[in-house]
Amino acid sequence: MQPGRYLRNALAINPDEQERLAQCRALVVGCGGLGGFVLEYLGRLGVGDLRAVDPDTFSEGNLNRQLLSSSLNLGRPKALAAVQRMQAVNPLAHIEGVQAFLTEENAAQLLEGCQVALDCLDNIPARRTLQKACALAWVPLVHGALGGWLGQACVILPGENLLDMIYPDAGAEHGEEYEQGALAFTAGMVAAVQAAEAVKLLLGKPGLRGELLVLDLLNGSFERLRLA
Amino acid sequence: MISVNTHEQPWREGLNVQALLDEMGFIFRHIIVRVNGEYVPEEAYAARLIADGDDVQVMHLIAGG
Protein backbone atom coordinates (compact mmCIF):
# COMPACT_ATOMS: atom_id res chain seq x y z
CA MET A 1 0.00 0.00 0.00
CA GLN A 2 1.54 3.29 -1.11
CA PRO A 3 1.34 6.33 1.16
CA GLY A 4 -1.42 8.72 0.09
CA ARG A 5 1.14 11.45 -0.56
CA TYR A 6 2.21 9.55 -3.72
CA LEU A 7 -1.34 9.14 -5.06
CA ARG A 8 -0.80 11.62 -7.88
CA ASN A 9 2.44 9.94 -8.88
CA ALA A 10 0.70 6.64 -9.43
CA LEU A 11 -0.53 7.07 -13.00
CA ALA A 12 3.00 7.97 -14.15
CA ILE A 13 5.10 5.89 -11.74
CA ASN A 14 3.79 2.41 -10.97
CA PRO A 15 3.83 0.93 -7.43
CA ASP A 16 6.93 -1.17 -8.10
CA GLU A 17 8.78 1.90 -9.39
CA GLN A 18 7.59 3.99 -6.44
CA GLU A 19 8.91 1.34 -4.08
CA ARG A 20 12.24 1.23 -5.94
CA LEU A 21 12.59 5.00 -5.60
CA ALA A 22 12.01 4.67 -1.87
CA GLN A 23 15.04 2.37 -1.70
CA CYS A 24 17.33 4.73 -3.67
CA ARG A 25 19.90 7.20 -2.45
CA ALA A 26 20.83 10.32 -4.43
CA LEU A 27 23.78 12.63 -3.79
CA VAL A 28 22.96 16.29 -4.45
CA VAL A 29 26.11 18.39 -4.57
CA GLY A 30 25.25 22.06 -4.12
CA CYS A 31 22.16 23.29 -2.26
CA GLY A 32 21.82 26.65 -4.01
CA GLY A 33 19.67 27.56 -7.02
CA LEU A 34 19.72 24.15 -8.67
CA GLY A 35 20.17 21.97 -5.60
CA GLY A 36 17.26 23.46 -3.67
CA PHE A 37 14.80 22.69 -6.46
CA VAL A 38 16.38 19.28 -7.20
CA LEU A 39 15.98 18.24 -3.56
CA GLU A 40 12.39 19.45 -3.56
CA TYR A 41 11.51 17.47 -6.70
CA LEU A 42 13.28 14.26 -5.68
CA GLY A 43 11.95 14.38 -2.11
CA ARG A 44 8.36 15.08 -3.10
CA LEU A 45 8.54 12.36 -5.76
CA GLY A 46 9.60 9.81 -3.16
CA VAL A 47 13.33 9.19 -3.55
CA GLY A 48 13.91 7.62 -0.16
CA ASP A 49 17.37 8.78 0.77
CA LEU A 50 18.98 12.12 -0.05
CA ARG A 51 22.45 13.38 0.79
CA ALA A 52 22.76 17.16 0.41
CA VAL A 53 26.22 18.71 0.33
CA ASP A 54 27.10 22.41 0.49
CA PRO A 55 29.72 24.31 2.48
CA ASP A 56 28.00 27.71 2.29
CA THR A 57 25.58 29.80 4.25
CA PHE A 58 22.77 31.88 2.78
CA SER A 59 23.28 35.51 1.84
CA GLU A 60 20.87 38.15 0.61
CA GLY A 61 21.92 37.64 -3.01
CA ASN A 62 20.55 34.09 -2.89
CA LEU A 63 16.97 35.18 -2.20
CA ASN A 64 16.03 35.86 -5.83
CA ARG A 65 16.16 32.19 -6.78
CA GLN A 66 17.25 29.72 -4.13
CA LEU A 67 14.24 27.80 -2.87
CA LEU A 68 15.85 26.88 0.44
CA SER A 69 16.71 30.49 1.28
CA SER A 70 14.41 32.88 3.11
CA SER A 71 14.68 36.15 4.95
CA LEU A 72 14.61 34.05 8.13
CA ASN A 73 17.66 31.88 7.46
CA LEU A 74 20.25 34.35 6.14
CA GLY A 75 23.66 33.41 7.50
CA ARG A 76 22.54 29.84 8.19
CA PRO A 77 24.03 26.76 6.46
CA LYS A 78 22.41 25.68 3.20
CA ALA A 79 22.86 21.99 4.04
CA LEU A 80 20.96 22.49 7.29
CA ALA A 81 18.16 24.31 5.48
CA ALA A 82 17.93 21.35 3.08
CA VAL A 83 17.40 18.97 5.99
CA GLN A 84 14.82 21.19 7.69
CA ARG A 85 12.91 21.70 4.46
CA MET A 86 12.76 18.00 3.62
CA GLN A 87 11.71 17.05 7.12
CA ALA A 88 8.74 19.39 6.66
CA VAL A 89 7.98 18.46 3.02
CA ASN A 90 8.33 14.68 3.21
CA PRO A 91 9.23 12.99 6.49
CA LEU A 92 9.29 9.65 4.64
CA ALA A 93 12.44 10.78 2.82
CA HIS A 94 15.58 10.42 4.87
CA ILE A 95 17.95 13.33 4.30
CA GLU A 96 21.49 13.88 5.46
CA GLY A 97 22.99 17.36 5.26
CA VAL A 98 26.74 17.69 4.89
CA GLN A 99 28.22 21.16 5.35
CA ALA A 100 31.44 20.68 3.37
CA PHE A 101 33.05 21.10 -0.02
CA LEU A 102 33.13 17.94 -2.10
CA THR A 103 36.83 17.14 -2.54
CA GLU A 104 38.89 14.31 -3.99
CA GLU A 105 39.42 13.21 -0.40
CA ASN A 106 35.79 12.98 0.74
CA ALA A 107 34.04 12.23 -2.57
CA ALA A 108 34.12 8.45 -2.32
CA GLN A 109 32.57 8.57 1.14
CA LEU A 110 29.87 11.02 0.00
CA LEU A 111 29.03 8.80 -2.99
CA GLU A 112 28.84 5.65 -0.89
CA GLY A 113 25.53 3.86 -1.37
CA CYS A 114 24.32 6.36 -3.99
CA GLN A 115 22.78 5.20 -7.27
CA VAL A 116 22.92 8.67 -8.82
CA ALA A 117 24.64 12.01 -8.23
CA LEU A 118 23.45 15.46 -9.25
CA ASP A 119 25.86 18.24 -10.17
CA CYS A 120 24.24 21.41 -8.79
CA LEU A 121 27.54 23.19 -8.31
CA ASP A 122 28.46 26.74 -9.29
CA ASN A 123 32.00 26.44 -10.59
CA ILE A 124 33.86 24.35 -13.16
CA PRO A 125 36.73 22.90 -11.09
CA ALA A 126 34.32 21.47 -8.50
CA ARG A 127 32.20 20.01 -11.29
CA ARG A 128 35.29 18.26 -12.70
CA THR A 129 36.13 16.86 -9.26
CA LEU A 130 32.63 15.44 -9.00
CA GLN A 131 32.74 13.94 -12.50
CA LYS A 132 36.04 12.23 -11.71
CA ALA A 133 34.74 10.89 -8.40
CA CYS A 134 31.57 9.58 -10.01
CA ALA A 135 33.61 7.75 -12.66
CA LEU A 136 35.76 6.14 -9.96
CA ALA A 137 32.70 5.16 -7.91
CA TRP A 138 30.81 4.08 -11.08
CA VAL A 139 27.86 6.35 -10.28
CA PRO A 140 25.98 8.15 -13.09
CA LEU A 141 26.00 11.95 -12.84
CA VAL A 142 23.33 14.41 -13.91
CA HIS A 143 24.88 17.76 -14.77
CA GLY A 144 23.01 21.05 -14.67
CA ALA A 145 24.14 24.66 -15.07
CA LEU A 146 22.65 28.07 -15.75
CA GLY A 147 23.54 31.60 -16.70
CA GLY A 148 20.78 34.22 -16.89
CA TRP A 149 18.01 32.96 -19.18
CA LEU A 150 20.14 30.03 -20.41
CA GLY A 151 20.32 26.60 -18.87
CA GLN A 152 21.70 23.19 -19.72
CA ALA A 153 21.60 19.62 -18.48
CA CYS A 154 23.03 16.27 -19.46
CA VAL A 155 23.56 12.75 -18.15
CA ILE A 156 27.18 11.63 -17.73
CA LEU A 157 27.65 7.89 -17.45
CA PRO A 158 30.84 6.72 -15.70
CA GLY A 159 33.86 7.29 -17.94
CA GLU A 160 32.13 9.55 -20.46
CA ASN A 161 33.81 12.77 -19.24
CA LEU A 162 31.28 14.93 -21.07
CA LEU A 163 32.28 17.95 -18.98
CA ASP A 164 35.48 18.07 -20.99
CA MET A 165 33.31 18.77 -24.06
CA ILE A 166 31.17 21.33 -22.26
CA TYR A 167 34.13 23.07 -20.60
CA PRO A 168 37.08 22.58 -22.99
CA ASP A 169 39.21 25.32 -21.39
CA ALA A 170 40.98 23.48 -18.58
CA GLY A 171 41.69 26.73 -16.72
CA ALA A 172 38.17 28.18 -16.72
CA GLU A 173 36.38 28.48 -13.39
CA HIS A 174 33.23 30.33 -14.38
CA GLY A 175 31.23 31.13 -17.50
CA GLU A 176 28.58 33.48 -18.73
CA GLU A 177 26.73 33.52 -15.40
CA TYR A 178 29.09 36.26 -14.21
CA GLU A 179 27.82 38.45 -17.06
CA GLN A 180 24.21 37.21 -17.18
CA GLY A 181 23.30 36.53 -13.55
CA ALA A 182 21.02 33.76 -12.34
CA LEU A 183 17.23 33.69 -12.53
CA ALA A 184 14.79 31.63 -10.45
CA PHE A 185 12.83 30.13 -13.33
CA THR A 186 15.99 29.08 -15.14
CA ALA A 187 17.21 27.31 -11.99
CA GLY A 188 13.82 25.66 -11.57
CA MET A 189 13.68 24.50 -15.19
CA VAL A 190 17.19 23.06 -15.21
CA ALA A 191 16.60 21.40 -11.83
CA ALA A 192 13.38 19.86 -13.14
CA VAL A 193 15.25 18.33 -16.08
CA GLN A 194 17.98 17.07 -13.75
CA ALA A 195 15.46 15.50 -11.39
CA ALA A 196 13.59 13.84 -14.26
CA GLU A 197 16.82 12.43 -15.72
CA ALA A 198 17.91 11.19 -12.29
CA VAL A 199 14.61 9.41 -11.74
CA LYS A 200 14.82 7.83 -15.21
CA LEU A 201 18.32 6.58 -14.37
CA LEU A 202 17.06 5.13 -11.08
CA LEU A 203 14.15 3.39 -12.82
CA GLY A 204 16.14 2.18 -15.83
CA LYS A 205 14.20 4.28 -18.31
CA PRO A 206 15.78 5.77 -21.45
CA GLY A 207 16.88 9.38 -21.16
CA LEU A 208 19.40 11.93 -22.38
CA ARG A 209 22.51 10.07 -23.56
CA GLY A 210 25.51 11.79 -25.11
CA GLU A 211 23.56 15.00 -25.63
CA LEU A 212 23.33 18.36 -23.89
CA LEU A 213 19.83 19.75 -23.49
CA VAL A 214 20.12 23.54 -23.87
CA LEU A 215 17.28 25.74 -22.67
CA ASP A 216 16.97 29.35 -23.79
CA LEU A 217 14.07 30.76 -21.81
CA LEU A 218 14.36 34.20 -23.43
CA ASN A 219 13.82 32.77 -26.92
CA GLY A 220 11.65 29.92 -25.67
CA SER A 221 13.84 27.30 -27.35
CA PHE A 222 15.04 23.86 -26.29
CA GLU A 223 17.83 22.20 -28.27
CA ARG A 224 19.63 18.89 -27.89
CA LEU A 225 23.30 19.20 -28.86
CA ARG A 226 25.40 16.12 -29.55
CA LEU A 227 28.38 15.72 -27.20
CA ALA A 228 29.59 12.19 -27.79
CA MET B 1 24.20 25.11 -46.56
CA ILE B 2 25.81 24.44 -43.23
CA SER B 3 24.28 23.18 -40.02
CA VAL B 4 24.57 25.30 -36.87
CA ASN B 5 23.38 23.36 -33.83
CA THR B 6 20.00 22.05 -34.97
CA HIS B 7 19.43 24.64 -37.73
CA GLU B 8 20.31 24.83 -41.41
CA GLN B 9 22.13 28.04 -42.31
CA PRO B 10 23.16 29.51 -45.71
CA TRP B 11 26.84 29.19 -46.60
CA ARG B 12 29.04 31.51 -48.68
CA GLU B 13 32.61 31.42 -49.91
CA GLY B 14 35.06 32.77 -47.32
CA LEU B 15 32.73 32.35 -44.34
CA ASN B 16 34.72 32.09 -41.13
CA VAL B 17 33.73 31.33 -37.56
CA GLN B 18 33.86 34.94 -36.38
CA ALA B 19 31.62 36.14 -39.22
CA LEU B 20 29.15 33.34 -38.55
CA LEU B 21 28.97 34.19 -34.84
CA ASP B 22 28.47 37.88 -35.66
CA GLU B 23 25.76 37.16 -38.22
CA MET B 24 23.90 34.78 -35.92
CA GLY B 25 24.03 37.18 -32.99
CA PHE B 26 26.19 35.13 -30.63
CA ILE B 27 27.42 38.11 -28.65
CA PHE B 28 28.23 36.52 -25.29
CA ARG B 29 31.86 36.51 -24.20
CA HIS B 30 32.03 32.85 -23.25
CA ILE B 31 31.30 30.66 -26.25
CA ILE B 32 32.44 27.20 -27.29
CA VAL B 33 32.66 26.47 -31.01
CA ARG B 34 33.24 23.16 -32.75
CA VAL B 35 33.42 22.62 -36.50
CA ASN B 36 32.81 19.01 -37.51
CA GLY B 37 33.48 18.08 -33.89
CA GLU B 38 36.82 19.91 -33.71
CA TYR B 39 37.12 22.56 -30.97
CA VAL B 40 38.01 26.01 -32.33
CA PRO B 41 39.72 28.28 -29.76
CA GLU B 42 38.65 31.92 -29.67
CA GLU B 43 41.92 33.21 -31.13
CA ALA B 44 41.31 31.12 -34.26
CA TYR B 45 37.75 32.33 -34.99
CA ALA B 46 38.75 34.75 -37.76
CA ALA B 47 41.15 32.35 -39.44
CA ARG B 48 39.01 29.22 -39.27
CA LEU B 49 37.11 28.95 -42.56
CA ILE B 50 33.84 27.09 -42.73
CA ALA B 51 33.25 24.87 -45.76
CA ASP B 52 29.94 24.13 -47.44
CA GLY B 53 28.25 21.27 -45.61
CA ASP B 54 30.16 21.75 -42.35
CA ASP B 55 28.54 20.91 -39.04
CA VAL B 56 29.06 23.83 -36.63
CA GLN B 57 28.21 23.62 -32.96
CA VAL B 58 28.00 26.77 -30.85
CA MET B 59 27.42 26.54 -27.11
CA HIS B 60 27.36 29.21 -24.45
CA LEU B 61 29.70 28.46 -21.60
CA ILE B 62 27.56 28.57 -18.47
CA ALA B 63 28.44 27.14 -15.09
CA GLY B 64 26.16 28.82 -12.55
CA GLY B 65 24.20 26.81 -10.06
mmCIF file of all heavy atoms in Angstrom, chain A residues 8-36:
data_model
loop_
_atom_site.group_PDB
_atom_site.id
_atom_site.type_symbol
_atom_site.label_atom_id
_atom_site.label_comp_id
_atom_site.label_asym_id
_atom_site.label_seq_id
_atom_site.Cartn_x
_atom_site.Cartn_y
_atom_site.Cartn_z
ATOM 1 N N ARG A 8 -0.818 10.975 -6.562
ATOM 2 C CA ARG A 8 -0.802 11.618 -7.883
ATOM 3 C C ARG A 8 0.429 11.264 -8.690
ATOM 4 O O ARG A 8 0.574 11.686 -9.838
ATOM 5 C CB ARG A 8 -0.951 13.144 -7.741
ATOM 6 C CG ARG A 8 -2.252 13.569 -7.067
ATOM 7 C CD ARG A 8 -3.472 13.085 -7.844
ATOM 8 N NE ARG A 8 -3.608 13.718 -9.128
ATOM 9 C CZ ARG A 8 -4.295 14.829 -9.364
ATOM 10 N NH1 ARG A 8 -4.930 15.423 -8.379
ATOM 11 N NH2 ARG A 8 -4.364 15.349 -10.566
ATOM 12 N N ASN A 9 1.342 10.509 -8.094
ATOM 13 C CA ASN A 9 2.444 9.936 -8.877
ATOM 14 C C ASN A 9 1.981 8.704 -9.639
ATOM 15 O O ASN A 9 2.575 8.315 -10.648
ATOM 16 C CB ASN A 9 3.583 9.448 -7.952
ATOM 17 C CG ASN A 9 4.430 10.571 -7.391
ATOM 18 O OD1 ASN A 9 4.254 11.714 -7.739
ATOM 19 N ND2 ASN A 9 5.363 10.222 -6.516
ATOM 20 N N ALA A 10 0.942 8.053 -9.114
ATOM 21 C CA ALA A 10 0.701 6.640 -9.432
ATOM 22 C C ALA A 10 0.371 6.371 -10.896
ATOM 23 O O ALA A 10 0.637 5.271 -11.381
ATOM 24 C CB ALA A 10 -0.399 6.102 -8.534
ATOM 25 N N LEU A 11 -0.215 7.322 -11.591
ATOM 26 C CA LEU A 11 -0.531 7.074 -13.000
ATOM 27 C C LEU A 11 0.723 7.172 -13.872
ATOM 28 O O LEU A 11 0.756 6.657 -14.982
ATOM 29 C CB LEU A 11 -1.595 8.055 -13.496
ATOM 30 C CG LEU A 11 -2.975 7.859 -12.854
ATOM 31 C CD1 LEU A 11 -3.942 8.934 -13.338
ATOM 32 C CD2 LEU A 11 -3.530 6.472 -13.133
ATOM 33 N N ALA A 12 1.762 7.805 -13.370
ATOM 34 C CA ALA A 12 2.997 7.967 -14.151
ATOM 35 C C ALA A 12 4.116 7.067 -13.646
ATOM 36 O O ALA A 12 5.022 6.713 -14.398
ATOM 37 C CB ALA A 12 3.451 9.435 -14.097
ATOM 38 N N ILE A 13 4.062 6.730 -12.368
ATOM 39 C CA ILE A 13 5.097 5.893 -11.745
ATOM 40 C C ILE A 13 4.365 4.742 -11.048
ATOM 41 O O ILE A 13 3.572 4.990 -10.123
ATOM 42 C CB ILE A 13 5.924 6.725 -10.742
ATOM 43 C CG1 ILE A 13 6.729 7.776 -11.509
ATOM 44 C CG2 ILE A 13 6.854 5.851 -9.908
ATOM 45 C CD1 ILE A 13 7.414 8.790 -10.625
ATOM 46 N N ASN A 14 4.584 3.519 -11.511
ATOM 47 C CA ASN A 14 3.791 2.410 -10.970
ATOM 48 C C ASN A 14 4.263 2.040 -9.555
ATOM 49 O O ASN A 14 5.323 2.484 -9.107
ATOM 50 C CB ASN A 14 3.783 1.214 -11.943
ATOM 51 C CG ASN A 14 5.137 0.529 -12.050
ATOM 52 O OD1 ASN A 14 5.831 0.364 -11.052
ATOM 53 N ND2 ASN A 14 5.501 0.131 -13.260
ATOM 54 N N PRO A 15 3.485 1.231 -8.835
ATOM 55 C CA PRO A 15 3.826 0.925 -7.431
ATOM 56 C C PRO A 15 5.208 0.301 -7.269
ATOM 57 O O PRO A 15 5.916 0.623 -6.296
ATOM 58 C CB PRO A 15 2.717 -0.049 -7.005
ATOM 59 C CG PRO A 15 1.562 0.294 -7.892
ATOM 60 C CD PRO A 15 2.156 0.700 -9.196
ATOM 61 N N ASP A 16 5.595 -0.567 -8.198
ATOM 62 C CA ASP A 16 6.934 -1.166 -8.101
ATOM 63 C C ASP A 16 8.015 -0.088 -8.235
ATOM 64 O O ASP A 16 9.011 -0.099 -7.506
ATOM 65 C CB ASP A 16 7.137 -2.212 -9.200
ATOM 66 C CG ASP A 16 6.373 -3.494 -8.906
ATOM 67 O OD1 ASP A 16 5.907 -3.642 -7.761
ATOM 68 O OD2 ASP A 16 6.250 -4.315 -9.823
ATOM 69 N N GLU A 17 7.807 0.816 -9.190
ATOM 70 C CA GLU A 17 8.784 1.902 -9.391
ATOM 71 C C GLU A 17 8.826 2.826 -8.177
ATOM 72 O O GLU A 17 9.905 3.256 -7.742
ATOM 73 C CB GLU A 17 8.425 2.699 -10.652
ATOM 74 C CG GLU A 17 8.645 1.907 -11.933
ATOM 75 C CD GLU A 17 8.136 2.639 -13.174
ATOM 76 O OE1 GLU A 17 7.201 3.470 -13.045
ATOM 77 O OE2 GLU A 17 8.645 2.364 -14.260
ATOM 78 N N GLN A 18 7.651 3.120 -7.620
ATOM 79 C CA GLN A 18 7.595 3.989 -6.435
ATOM 80 C C GLN A 18 8.364 3.343 -5.279
ATOM 81 O O GLN A 18 9.104 4.014 -4.565
ATOM 82 C CB GLN A 18 6.129 4.227 -6.045
ATOM 83 C CG GLN A 18 5.937 5.275 -4.970
ATOM 84 C CD GLN A 18 6.199 6.692 -5.452
ATOM 85 O OE1 GLN A 18 5.546 7.180 -6.362
ATOM 86 N NE2 GLN A 18 7.160 7.375 -4.844
ATOM 87 N N GLU A 19 8.202 2.041 -5.147
ATOM 88 C CA GLU A 19 8.908 1.335 -4.083
ATOM 89 C C GLU A 19 10.413 1.336 -4.343
ATOM 90 O O GLU A 19 11.222 1.496 -3.412
ATOM 91 C CB GLU A 19 8.385 -0.107 -3.993
ATOM 92 C CG GLU A 19 9.005 -0.946 -2.887
ATOM 93 C CD GLU A 19 8.902 -0.308 -1.507
ATOM 94 O OE1 GLU A 19 7.895 0.363 -1.235
ATOM 95 O OE2 GLU A 19 9.862 -0.465 -0.715
ATOM 96 N N ARG A 20 10.796 1.182 -5.619
ATOM 97 C CA ARG A 20 12.239 1.233 -5.940
ATOM 98 C C ARG A 20 12.827 2.592 -5.605
ATOM 99 O O ARG A 20 13.944 2.691 -5.085
ATOM 100 C CB ARG A 20 12.455 0.888 -7.416
ATOM 101 C CG ARG A 20 12.465 -0.629 -7.654
ATOM 102 C CD ARG A 20 12.218 -0.959 -9.100
ATOM 103 N NE ARG A 20 13.243 -0.451 -10.007
ATOM 104 C CZ ARG A 20 13.070 -0.406 -11.339
ATOM 105 N NH1 ARG A 20 11.935 -0.815 -11.882
ATOM 106 N NH2 ARG A 20 14.042 0.020 -12.110
ATOM 107 N N LEU A 21 12.094 3.644 -5.921
ATOM 108 C CA LEU A 21 12.589 4.996 -5.603
ATOM 109 C C LEU A 21 12.787 5.164 -4.096
ATOM 110 O O LEU A 21 13.744 5.806 -3.659
ATOM 111 C CB LEU A 21 11.616 6.064 -6.122
ATOM 112 C CG LEU A 21 11.535 6.235 -7.641
ATOM 113 C CD1 LEU A 21 10.484 7.282 -7.993
ATOM 114 C CD2 LEU A 21 12.888 6.615 -8.235
ATOM 115 N N ALA A 22 11.902 4.549 -3.323
ATOM 116 C CA ALA A 22 12.009 4.667 -1.865
ATOM 117 C C ALA A 22 13.291 4.017 -1.344
ATOM 118 O O ALA A 22 13.784 4.370 -0.267
ATOM 119 C CB ALA A 22 10.794 4.028 -1.212
ATOM 120 N N GLN A 23 13.824 3.075 -2.119
ATOM 121 C CA GLN A 23 15.042 2.366 -1.697
ATOM 122 C C GLN A 23 16.319 3.032 -2.228
ATOM 123 O O GLN A 23 17.419 2.551 -1.975
ATOM 124 C CB GLN A 23 15.014 0.910 -2.208
ATOM 125 C CG GLN A 23 13.789 0.113 -1.767
ATOM 126 C CD GLN A 23 13.618 0.087 -0.260
ATOM 127 O OE1 GLN A 23 14.593 -0.051 0.475
ATOM 128 N NE2 GLN A 23 12.389 0.272 0.215
ATOM 129 N N CYS A 24 16.171 4.107 -3.003
ATOM 130 C CA CYS A 24 17.330 4.727 -3.675
ATOM 131 C C CYS A 24 17.920 5.864 -2.849
ATOM 132 O O CYS A 24 17.216 6.534 -2.090
ATOM 133 C CB CYS A 24 16.916 5.291 -5.035
ATOM 134 S SG CYS A 24 16.611 4.007 -6.267
ATOM 135 N N ARG A 25 19.212 6.060 -3.072
ATOM 136 C CA ARG A 25 19.899 7.199 -2.453
ATOM 137 C C ARG A 25 20.506 8.065 -3.566
ATOM 138 O O ARG A 25 21.182 7.552 -4.459
ATOM 139 C CB ARG A 25 21.005 6.723 -1.520
ATOM 140 C CG ARG A 25 21.808 7.880 -0.905
ATOM 141 C CD ARG A 25 22.928 7.392 -0.013
ATOM 142 N NE ARG A 25 22.406 6.806 1.214
ATOM 143 C CZ ARG A 25 23.108 6.032 2.033
ATOM 144 N NH1 ARG A 25 24.356 5.739 1.735
ATOM 145 N NH2 ARG A 25 22.567 5.536 3.123
ATOM 146 N N ALA A 26 20.281 9.364 -3.464
ATOM 147 C CA ALA A 26 20.834 10.319 -4.432
ATOM 148 C C ALA A 26 21.735 11.315 -3.704
ATOM 149 O O ALA A 26 21.392 11.792 -2.618
ATOM 150 C CB ALA A 26 19.712 11.068 -5.149
ATOM 151 N N LEU A 27 22.870 11.608 -4.316
ATOM 152 C CA LEU A 27 23.776 12.632 -3.792
ATOM 153 C C LEU A 27 23.517 13.935 -4.553
ATOM 154 O O LEU A 27 23.616 13.959 -5.792
ATOM 155 C CB LEU A 27 25.232 12.204 -3.985
ATOM 156 C CG LEU A 27 26.285 13.228 -3.552
ATOM 157 C CD1 LEU A 27 26.286 13.396 -2.032
ATOM 158 C CD2 LEU A 27 27.679 12.820 -4.033
ATOM 159 N N VAL A 28 23.188 14.978 -3.834
ATOM 160 C CA VAL A 28 22.959 16.290 -4.448
ATOM 161 C C VAL A 28 24.088 17.205 -3.985
ATOM 162 O O VAL A 28 24.177 17.538 -2.793
ATOM 163 C CB VAL A 28 21.584 16.858 -4.060
ATOM 164 C CG1 VAL A 28 21.374 18.233 -4.691
ATOM 165 C CG2 VAL A 28 20.470 15.898 -4.482
ATOM 166 N N VAL A 29 24.939 17.598 -4.927
ATOM 167 C CA VAL A 29 26.108 18.394 -4.570
ATOM 168 C C VAL A 29 25.832 19.847 -4.956
ATOM 169 O O VAL A 29 25.747 20.187 -6.136
ATOM 170 C CB VAL A 29 27.376 17.867 -5.260
ATOM 171 C CG1 VAL A 29 28.595 18.613 -4.718
ATOM 172 C CG2 VAL A 29 27.524 16.375 -5.045
ATOM 173 N N GLY A 30 25.670 20.668 -3.938
ATOM 174 C CA GLY A 30 25.253 22.058 -4.122
ATOM 175 C C GLY A 30 23.800 22.195 -3.697
ATOM 176 O O GLY A 30 22.930 21.476 -4.202
ATOM 177 N N CYS A 31 23.534 23.073 -2.747
ATOM 178 C CA CYS A 31 22.158 23.294 -2.255
ATOM 179 C C CYS A 31 21.742 24.733 -2.515
ATOM 180 O O CYS A 31 21.062 25.360 -1.698
ATOM 181 C CB CYS A 31 22.057 22.967 -0.773
ATOM 182 S SG CYS A 31 22.475 21.270 -0.366
ATOM 183 N N GLY A 32 22.156 25.280 -3.651
ATOM 184 C CA GLY A 32 21.817 26.650 -4.007
ATOM 185 C C GLY A 32 20.624 26.680 -4.952
ATOM 186 O O GLY A 32 19.597 26.057 -4.676
ATOM 187 N N GLY A 33 20.786 27.403 -6.079
ATOM 188 C CA GLY A 33 19.674 27.562 -7.016
ATOM 189 C C GLY A 33 19.195 26.245 -7.577
ATOM 190 O O GLY A 33 17.999 25.934 -7.555
ATOM 191 N N LEU A 34 20.095 25.453 -8.100
ATOM 192 C CA LEU A 34 19.724 24.152 -8.668
ATOM 193 C C LEU A 34 19.396 23.139 -7.570
ATOM 194 O O LEU A 34 18.377 22.453 -7.624
ATOM 195 C CB LEU A 34 20.856 23.603 -9.543
ATOM 196 C CG LEU A 34 21.164 24.381 -10.814
ATOM 197 C CD1 LEU A 34 22.411 23.827 -11.498
ATOM 198 C CD2 LEU A 34 19.987 24.339 -11.771
ATOM 199 N N GLY A 35 20.298 23.026 -6.608
ATOM 200 C CA GLY A 35 20.170 21.971 -5.600
ATOM 201 C C GLY A 35 18.894 22.070 -4.779
ATOM 202 O O GLY A 35 18.278 21.055 -4.452
ATOM 203 N N GLY A 36 18.479 23.284 -4.459
ATOM 204 C CA GLY A 36 17.256 23.459 -3.674
ATOM 205 C C GLY A 36 16.047 22.885 -4.397
ATOM 206 O O GLY A 36 15.237 22.151 -3.808
#
